[in-house]
Amino acid sequence: MESKSSFNLMLLMQELFQRKFFVAVVFAVISISIVLVGTKWPKQFASSTTIFVEEENILGPLMQGAAVQTDVIDRASIAREIIFGHNIMYKLLEEEGLKEKYPDPVKQERLMESIKSRLNIANVRNNLIKIEYHDGDPESAFRITDQIAKLFIEESLADKSRQSIDAFEFIDKQVQEYKKKLQKAEEELEKFRSENVDAQPGIAGSIGRHSAELRTRKEQITQELKEAKIRKTSLKLQLSGEAQASSVFSRSEQYKTRIAELQGQLDTLRLSYHESYPDIAQLKAQIQDLRNAVVIADQESSTNQVTTIDERILSNPVYQQLQRNLYDTNTNIQMLNARLLHTDDAIQKNLERARSVEKFGARLTELTRDYDVNSESYSDLISRREQARVSMNLDKDRKGLSLRIDEQAYLPHSPSGVRFLHFLLIGPVLGLVIPMGIIFLIIQFSPAIRSESSISEHLGIPVLASTSHLSTPFESRWNIFNTVVVLLIMVGTISFIISMGILRMQGEI
Amino acid sequence: MSKIEEALDKIRNSEKLRVSNLGDNAEQFQNRRLTTSKIDSTYQQDEPVQLGNISDMQHSAELSSEDKAAARVIDISMSDRQVFNAFRDFRTTISQLIGKKSSPIIMITSSGEQAGTSFVAQNLAVAIALDETKTSLLIECNFANPSFKHFVMDEEKPGLNDYLKESEISVEEIIHPTGIPRMRIIPAGVQSYAMSEYFTNSRLNKLFAEIKQRYAERFIIVDAPDISTNADARILAQVCDYVILVVPYGKATEKQVLRDARAIGKEKLLGTVFNNQPKVPRSFRN
């Protein structure tokens, strides 16, 4: 491999010497033209500025928790979008006075393109955007860089302020919506309550308590009734025992005494109860019964002559007492029965009420929940809206700055980019490399045989001898003349380049 | 300098001496330049009836170094030793390859035109003649580009064409001395370009047969046109004993060389000569 490459180098040398005239002319033409281009090459002045971007976005803190924010990563490309946009470009042309100078929109478009091509926007670090602009005139390089940075910040802030206004408006709209929802929930709840009187919070509990009370009362009454019945039975037994011992008073007498007693009771009751009170009605009925009995007894005594009335029995105080007790007990039993009925009725009613409460209870819970949720969101949104209002006002006054110029644009004093020295160096190098490259390519790609080995090794035909051209004396002289010319061309070219460099240093070009 | 070269130098010097001694011969030669194409009887001594003795060969006035340089003829005193040595080595290689075979006819042809066939042929003949025990005969068959005028003193002398066209011309009449010791030439001739059918002519075979008879240690070098474009060369190749193919640097392609080699045939192709390699100044070598 190594021997082959060194062989190629030898070949290259051979060819270079064979074509020395070509090499010299190409060298001269290329290096001189590159140096001449260098003298005309416009000087470039670059100015740059950096802008610091704060991480936070206006919507971030406002909508924290309420909405998810997308991350912004490539700030330079966003900045490029904004700066290369027509908005800023037009403003720039206006500020530079180019708009009046070139009213033709096609020309303006071309100007914008040329500005864009000379603009370089890159992320220096995470939060730093570097804007670099180069121009032939240092003044305008500085001015345009400065202008673009300012316009960019202005535009970004306007955009941000627009954003915060949007945010405020959005939240405000939400507030209105929730307000309506809340009102509707309230109305519905109100309406439902007016339709269902019992629809009060905790109604189910009170009904339950009431029914328990009623049930206790009923048990109590039943108990009392049982007791009264037992007493009645025992009184009856006692009375029959007494009857044997004492004779019976005439019936009508007895009835009359009884009526008087009942009347007395009735009067007492009337003091504290209405006529409709069951006990009073009961008494009245008894009195009427007794009066009827008196009439019947009187008729019987007149027709059946004298009944055997044992005055002694009638006048027996124990018997009378017992009789009275028995009456009392009877009355009591009747009263208790009436109360029992009444209580049963109340229980029934209560049960019905409980049933109806159960039915509308689910709906009530739903309405109440709606109302609660809506009112919660509403109050939350209202507080957010106030925050948004503050942010919006901040942006309006440009107080919540998130962009600022970190490094001011500067006025460049020395040109940047490709310099004349580069042309001076590149010219001769290219002048040598290009013809050598051409010759190298010819050797590489021409199929013509250039070495013994390609005959002996590739074709397998022996090479008996290898000779070079034998020059005649005239040819030798011609060759020497050629070499001198070639050397002159080379030396002339190099001295031209050096003198151009010296002239440039002296500032004459 | 090698011993062989020293010996050769000695030979050369002695030859020069001899030539200067033969002052009358030189005069004769000068006179000959004035005469026309008529064949001088003095040169007909070239043909002995039996195989000739090389030391008995007549010599014409030798070419000067300047003439040789102008005609690209190698010379022992030349400054370009590279080319000189190349031809001497070439000669040695060929005699080794051919071995004992007497009077071999070696055709020099090329792949493509302008390959320097004549340059190779003449210098091979010269290199062979450097050996005092050997002689060489150069036959010019490249009629389109005759290039051996310097060997016949720039005169028009009867040659191959004349021989092939006119039956009355004998072999002796067309063989001329060259100004190089032990080297003879058959030039293209006075008459115009012979067509290829002359090569198929039995006269050519007769000529070759006769030439072979003359000296045992004679190498017959045929300078032929290029074989790639020329049918004459192919016909000639059939008549000759050996063929050497000249490959010019940077002109012929491998494909072309291979095709020409096949046209010649393995048994006749001795090998190739790689010619016209560009020179690099000595300080740049290695």
Side-chain angles (χ1 to χ4, degrees):
Chain A
M1 208 52 217
E2 200 184 301
S3 69
K4 185 158 189 217
S5 66
S6 69
F7 189 64
N8 275 339
L9 198 69
M10 194 63 206
L11 258 181
L12 190 65
M13 291 299 284
Q14 285 179 0
E15 291 280 338
L16 274 181
F17 276 99
Q18 210 176 20
R19 297 160 202 255
K20 49 184 178 276
F21 202 75
F22 163 77
V23 173
V25 168
V26 172
F27 170 72
V29 168
I30 289 179
S31 46
I32 288 173
S33 46
I34 287 179
V35 169
L36 287 179
V37 166
T39 60
K40 298 284 167 218
W41 196 263
K43 284 182 185 174
Q44 288 290 337
F45 294 90
S47 182
S48 72
T49 175
T50 49
I51 291 172
F52 183 77
V53 187
E54 260 160 44
E55 280 290 345
E56 294 295 319
N57 179 298
I58 187 80
L59 269 172
L62 276 179
M63 301 309 281
Q64 214 162 34
V68 181
Q69 273 233 280
T70 49
D71 268 339
V72 185
I73 303 158
D74 192 358
R75 294 186 189 289
S77 77
I78 295 166
R80 217 171 285 135
E81 286 291 316
I82 297 172
I83 290 171
F84 287 173
H86 264 239
N87 242 347
I88 283 189
M89 282 291 149
Y90 267 123
K91 274 184 198 158
L92 191 65
L93 287 188
E94 236 165 64
E95 300 270 352
E96 286 288 300
L98 294 167
K99 217 170 179 179
E100 290 87 58
K101 208 169 162 190
Y102 305 104
D104 179 19
V106 178
K107 176 77 188 166
Q108 284 180 6
E109 194 77 24
R110 225 172 280 153
L111 272 171
M112 277 188 230
E113 285 306 316
S114 99
I115 290 174
K116 281 180 200 171
S117 72
R118 279 177 284 164
L119 251 180
N120 187 23
I121 298 161
N123 269 355
V124 187
R125 259 176 295 128
N126 237 0
N127 295 333
L128 277 180
I129 298 172
K130 187 175 186 179
I131 297 172
E132 201 179 51
Y133 179 77
H134 58 89
D135 198 294
D137 174 31
E139 277 283 340
S140 66
F142 160 70
R143 216 175 41 239
I144 289 178
T145 311
D146 195 46
Q147 202 64 254
I148 284 173
K150 275 180 191 151
L151 285 171
F152 168 61
I153 289 178
E154 219 169 85
E155 179 72 20
S156 302
L157 289 181
D159 193 54
K160 211 177 91 145
S161 147
R162 229 175 291 135
Q163 232 180 37
S164 65
I165 289 172
D166 282 352
F168 173 77
E169 277 170 0
F170 173 72
I171 296 173
D172 191 48
K173 218 172 94 188
Q174 289 301 96
V175 166
Q176 301 303 338
E177 225 163 87
Y178 270 91
K179 196 174 174 183
K180 261 183 223 159
K181 271 191 193 169
L182 190 64
Q183 276 170 352
K184 202 181 155 202
E186 226 167 3
E187 271 167 25
E188 264 179 43
L189 200 60
E190 209 64 48
K191 196 178 152 205
F192 187 76
R193 273 196 189 138
S194 67
E195 274 169 10
N196 302 279
V197 190
D198 283 334
Q200 294 293 339
I203 187 74
S206 86
I207 288 169
R209 267 197 309 282
H210 189 55
S211 85
E213 213 172 88
L214 284 173
R215 231 168 265 131
T216 330
R217 200 190 296 166
K218 187 186 169 184
E219 261 168 38
Q220 208 178 332
I221 292 166
T222 323
Q223 190 61 37
E224 272 174 35
L225 197 64
K226 257 186 207 159
E227 279 171 15
K229 276 178 182 160
I230 290 165
R231 202 158 71 217
K232 186 183 168 185
T233 328
S234 83
L235 277 174
K236 269 184 181 163
L237 277 174
Q238 283 172 358
L239 264 180
S240 61
E242 279 302 311
Q244 287 169 349
S246 56
S247 47
V248 181
F249 287 103
S250 75
R251 250 183 232 174
S252 87
E253 264 335 284
Q254 281 175 25
Y255 293 153
K256 279 173 186 159
T257 324
R258 181 68 194 145
I259 287 169
E261 269 174 27
L262 290 174
Q263 200 61 51
Q265 268 182 29
L266 185 66
D267 288 341
T268 325
L269 280 170
R270 269 180 179 155
L271 284 174
S272 45
Y273 292 103
H274 288 288
E275 282 297 325
S276 63
Y277 192 72
D279 288 7
I280 291 175
Q282 201 68 36
L283 281 173
K284 272 182 179 171
Q286 279 179 14
I287 291 169
Q288 196 55 48
D289 282 352
L290 284 172
R291 275 190 188 134
N292 291 344
V294 169
V295 174
I296 292 163
D298 281 348
Q299 282 169 351
E300 270 178 0
S301 61
S302 57
T303 51
N304 293 353
Q305 292 177 350
V306 183
T307 45
T308 54
I309 302 164
D310 195 346
E311 284 298 322
R312 275 179 302 174
I313 292 169
L314 287 173
S315 60
N316 183 358
V318 176
Y319 184 86
Q320 280 175 355
Q321 185 62 39
L322 285 172
Q323 197 74 31
R324 220 175 4 248
N325 280 355
L326 185 63
Y327 281 130
D328 281 351
T329 305
N330 272 337
T331 313
N332 205 10
I333 285 170
Q334 277 168 347
M335 263 162 55
L336 283 170
N337 271 334
R339 271 168 70 186
L340 193 63
L341 266 173
H342 187 72
T343 310
D344 271 343
D345 193 38
I347 284 174
Q348 200 59 40
K349 268 186 188 156
N350 205 26
L351 209 66
E352 268 162 30
R353 236 177 102 199
R355 257 184 222 126
S356 73
V357 164
E358 243 168 61
K359 235 193 272 166
F360 63 68
R363 175 87 182 116
L364 181 68
T365 320
E366 192 190 313
L367 285 173
T368 319
R369 196 177 51 224
D370 275 3
Y371 176 79
D372 287 349
V373 167
N374 279 331
S375 84
E376 210 172 285
S377 304
Y378 179 66
S379 55
D380 184 40
L381 278 169
I382 282 181
S383 71
R384 279 179 200 276
R385 184 175 65 177
E386 288 321 301
Q387 283 178 12
R389 197 195 299 278
V390 172
S391 304
M392 186 176 70
N393 290 338
L394 270 178
D395 281 337
K396 249 186 212 162
D397 300 345
R398 301 276 193 269
K399 292 267 165 58
L401 263 183
S402 63
L403 281 171
R404 61 185 160 76
I405 292 178
D406 192 54
E407 193 188 315
Q408 285 285 350
Y410 50 85
L411 186 65
H413 293 293
S414 59
S416 62
V418 194
R419 299 219 209 135
F420 187 64
L421 181 68
H422 298 142
F423 286 97
L424 281 187
L425 294 174
I426 288 167
V429 169
L430 274 186
L432 275 182
V433 165
I434 288 175
M436 279 171 88
I438 292 171
I439 288 172
F440 180 76
L441 288 179
I442 289 173
I443 293 173
Q444 282 293 303
F445 294 106
S446 113
I449 295 170
R450 280 194 163 75
S451 74
E452 250 183 81
S453 64
S454 59
I455 307 172
S456 57
E457 284 166 25
H458 294 181
L459 304 179
I461 302 168
V463 176
L464 306 176
S466 156
T467 68
S468 34
H469 182 78
L470 191 60
S471 306
T472 61
F474 175 72
E475 279 173 346
S476 298
R477 283 194 295 277
W478 176 245
N479 206 10
I480 289 166
F481 173 71
N482 264 347
T483 311
V484 169
V485 169
V486 163
L487 283 176
L488 280 178
I489 291 174
M490 303 287 261
V491 169
T493 308
I494 290 168
S495 40
F496 172 78
I497 291 166
I498 291 171
S499 52
M500 287 299 269
I502 291 167
L503 283 175
R504 182 71 171 212
M505 271 191 344
Q506 288 169 350
E508 285 183 31
I509 314 170
Chain B
M1 210 185 276
S2 69
K3 280 189 174 176
I4 299 166
E5 276 178 51
E6 275 174 33
L8 281 168
D9 273 347
K10 270 185 196 168
I11 291 162
R12 210 189 101 74
N13 289 337
S14 65
E15 274 186 10
K16 265 187 183 168
L17 221 73
R18 222 190 303 170
V19 169
S20 56
N21 286 343
L22 291 166
D24 49 342
N25 256 19
E27 235 167 69
Q28 275 181 3
F29 178 72
Q30 287 300 321
N31 293 336
R32 261 183 50 75
R33 296 197 79 169
L34 302 169
T35 60
T36 48
S37 60
K38 214 183 164 199
I39 295 135
D40 202 311
S41 58
T42 42
Y43 291 95
Q44 286 172 16
Q45 285 167 13
D46 183 72
E47 55 77 42
V49 181
Q50 297 302 310
L51 279 177
N53 194 338
I54 292 166
S55 55
D56 295 340
M57 276 178 84
Q58 292 278 333
H59 301 298
S60 62
E62 204 175 329
L63 285 174
S64 69
S65 294
E66 291 77 41
D67 289 339
K68 285 181 183 175
R72 295 192 181 98
V73 174
I74 56 164
D75 181 42
I76 199 146
S77 64
M78 68 194 287
S79 56
D80 195 342
R81 305 308 296 176
Q82 230 190 339
V83 176
F84 181 77
N85 289 337
F87 275 102
R88 252 187 10 190
D89 292 347
F90 181 30
R91 171 202 67 188
T92 314
T93 315
I94 284 175
S95 47
Q96 279 169 354
L97 278 172
I98 288 168
K100 289 279 169 213
K101 184 164 176 132
S102 69
S103 302
I105 301 175
I106 303 166
M107 180 177 113
I108 313 286
T109 182
S110 68
S111 273
E113 291 167 313
Q114 305 291 316
T117 321
S118 301
F119 169 72
V120 172
Q122 77 177 20
N123 286 322
L124 177 61
V126 171
I128 288 166
L130 281 175
D131 187 345
E132 282 195 48
T133 62
K134 291 193 172 77
T135 169
S136 60
L137 172 62
L138 183 62
I139 303 178
E140 185 173 27
C141 287
N142 195 349
F143 306 118
N145 302 299
S147 43
F148 297 138
K149 287 244 167 92
H150 46 275
F151 285 127
V152 288
M153 312 303 145
D154 299 322
E155 286 172 30
E156 296 235 314
K157 290 191 174 171
L160 190 59
N161 271 328
D162 308 286
Y163 179 81
L164 292 178
K165 281 183 181 168
E166 289 169 38
S167 53
E168 53 269 27
I169 294 178
S170 66
V171 177
E172 298 78 44
E173 283 174 281
I174 59 166
I175 297 180
H176 308 285
T178 56
I180 307 273
R182 297 175 294 281
M183 180 178 159
R184 296 286 179 271
I185 187 166
I186 297 180
V190 200
Q191 304 211 19
S192 61
Y193 188 6
M195 307 309 281
S196 59
E197 45 264 32
Y198 289 113
F199 290 144
T200 52
N201 191 318
S202 60
R203 290 273 286 174
L204 188 72
N205 286 326
K206 196 185 157 213
L207 173 72
F208 279 12
E210 218 180 309
I211 290 166
K212 276 185 161 217
Q213 299 293 312
R214 297 177 152 260
Y215 293 96
E217 290 296 317
R218 169 169 269 176
F219 282 74
I220 297 144
I221 311 294
V222 176
D223 175 32
D226 74 275
I227 199 163
S228 315
T229 58
N230 211 307
D232 295 357
R234 293 191 192 179
I235 295 160
L236 261 178
Q238 287 167 6
V239 192
C240 299
D241 297 326
Y242 303 104
V243 179
I244 287 170
L245 189 65
V246 176
V247 178
Y249 171 91
K251 279 185 186 165
T253 62
E254 286 187 10
K255 219 171 146 186
Q256 193 182 348
V257 170
L258 202 63
R259 203 182 54 218
D260 294 342
R262 285 206 185 111
I264 293 158
K266 256 187 193 167
E267 59 286 345
K268 288 211 170 161
L269 183 66
L270 269 183
T272 58
V273 172
F274 192 46
N275 191 25
N276 273 342
Q277 259 196 299
K279 269 184 238 170
V280 175
R282 218 164 275 133
S283 51
F284 284 96
R285 277 177 217 156
N286 304 318

